[in-house]
């Protein structure tokens, strides 16, 4: 599976949009981009995934560049409860998920 | 959405004893489940892939005789930590995917194992 690179930490003001970047320059054509988050001492929570088109659901939006070498997870109106470690994972369909170090997002008042 | 239930959430055991952790897919069938381990302030590390009706596939460095995995049905996988030692104390998490619904991989809430 392709390796991903994320900034180790980010801060965001409550109510603002949180934009979390991820680089995956070695992604191959059949690999999806998944985003998960993990709040302290809980199991990871699925956020969103996509292949090449931008995706949106009730939690977030996923913007994938045209060359698919990077993506951005957007939380449109961050709240304190969005404070968590966010993981960007690239994998082929049905394959195991390999976690990197993720981005620690801290949402502050 | 898909739900994965993990039990127990916390367990304390004595050194040398064995502990069993259950992972159930509640509203979907999972031919494959995954077991992870997470140490404090570290990321999740995949331990093994559990396959229904066949042997589990272990990641490099994971002792298969110590971490016994059984996937006897399409909704249940178990991880048994045998002859536990304090260094096995960790957060164990399972995951499964609802292929029919094409949902993302769903994770259990995790099991905090403390070996004393």
């Amino acid at each position: 599976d392709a390796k991903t690179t994320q900034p180790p930490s980010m801060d965001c003001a409550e109510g603002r949009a949180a934009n979390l970047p991820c680089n995956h320059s070695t992604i191959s054509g059949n690999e999806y981009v998944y985003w998960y988050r993990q709040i302290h001492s809980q199991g990871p929570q699925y956020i969103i995934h996509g292949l090449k088109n931008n995706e949106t659901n009730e939690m977030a939006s996923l913007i994938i560049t045209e060359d698919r070498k990077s993506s951005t997870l957007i939380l449109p109106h961050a709240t304190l409860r969005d404070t968590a470690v966010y993981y960007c994972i690239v994998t082929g369909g049905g394959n195991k998920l390999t976690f990197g170090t993720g981005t620690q997002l801290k949402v502050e008042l | 959405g898909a739900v994965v239930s993990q039990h127990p959430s916390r367990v304390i055991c004595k050194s040398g004893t064995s502990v069993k952790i259950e992972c159930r897919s509640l509203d979907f069938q999972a031919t494959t489940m995954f077991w992870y381990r997470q140490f404090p302030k570290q990321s999740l590390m995949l331990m093994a892939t559990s396959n229904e009706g066949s042997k589990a596939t272990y990641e490099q460095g994971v002792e298969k005789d110590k971490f016994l995995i059984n996937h006897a049905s399409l909704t249940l996988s178990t991880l048994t930590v045998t002859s536990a030692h304090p260094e096995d104390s960790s957060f164990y998490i399972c995951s499964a995917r609802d292929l029919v619904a094409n949902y993302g991989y769903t994770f259990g809430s995790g099991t905090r194992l403390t070996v004393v």
Side-chain angles (χ1 to χ4, degrees):
Chain A
D1 294 335
K3 184 178 178 179
T4 61
T5 304
Q6 299 177 252
S9 64
M10 292 183 65
D11 294 332
C12 178
E14 189 176 35
R16 298 283 192 174
N19 298 289
L20 291 88
C22 180
N23 287 323
H24 31 79
S25 59
T26 60
I27 191 171
S28 60
N30 65 343
E31 289 183 315
Y32 288 76
V33 180
Y34 283 85
W35 281 86
Y36 283 80
R37 71 181 182 185
Q38 185 180 27
I39 297 171
H40 183 62
S41 295
Q42 297 181 24
Q45 177 188 23
Y46 168 80
I47 302 174
I48 199 167
H49 75 287
L51 183 62
K52 56 175 69 175
N53 297 324
N54 298 335
E55 302 288 340
T56 295
N57 61 22
E58 64 278 5
M59 289 184 68
S61 293
L62 173 60
I63 308 298
I64 302 174
T65 58
E66 193 168 340
D67 63 9
R68 302 210 320 127
K69 293 184 177 182
S70 65
S71 61
T72 302
L73 178 74
I74 301 173
L75 307 179
H77 305 286
T79 70
L80 298 179
R81 288 181 295 181
D82 292 322
T83 292
V85 178
Y86 287 77
Y87 295 98
C88 167
I89 303 167
V90 174
T91 188
N95 288 352
K96 57 192 178 185
L97 295 183
T98 301
F99 285 76
T101 52
T103 295
Q104 171 67 64
L105 175 68
K106 186 176 181 182
V107 181
E108 301 171 308
L109 291 171
Chain B
V3 178
V4 171
S5 174
Q6 195 171 334
H7 180 80
S9 58
R10 290 178 179 271
V11 59
I12 301 173
C13 71
K14 292 183 178 180
S15 288
T17 62
S18 296
V19 174
K20 180 185 285 188
I21 303 169
E22 292 187 348
C23 179
R24 295 180 184 273
S25 56
L26 296 187
D27 48 2
F28 67 99
Q29 294 182 332
T31 55
T32 302
M33 293 185 177
F34 304 92
W35 287 96
Y36 293 82
R37 179 168 55 180
Q38 185 176 33
F39 292 108
K41 298 187 178 181
Q42 294 186 22
S43 185
L44 284 78
M45 289 182 56
L46 180 66
M47 298 175 66
T49 301
S50 171
N51 304 299
E52 188 268 334
S54 65
K55 291 183 179 180
T57 304
Y58 290 83
E59 296 298 302
Q60 192 173 11
V62 177
E63 299 175 60
K64 63 180 181 180
D65 294 329
K66 181 170 184 61
F67 299 99
L68 300 180
I69 291 173
N70 185 281
H71 194 153
S73 77
L74 288 171
T75 59
L76 174 65
S77 175
T78 60
L79 169 68
T80 301
V81 182
T82 63
S83 186
H85 289 99
E87 56 265 32
D88 298 323
S89 298
S90 188
F91 192 50
Y92 293 85
I93 310 168
C94 69
S95 170
R97 187 180 182 203
D98 185 353
L99 293 173
V100 173
N102 192 28
Y103 202 67
Y105 298 72
T106 303
F107 287 78
S109 55
T111 297
R112 176 74 59 190
L113 170 63
T114 302
V115 184
V116 298

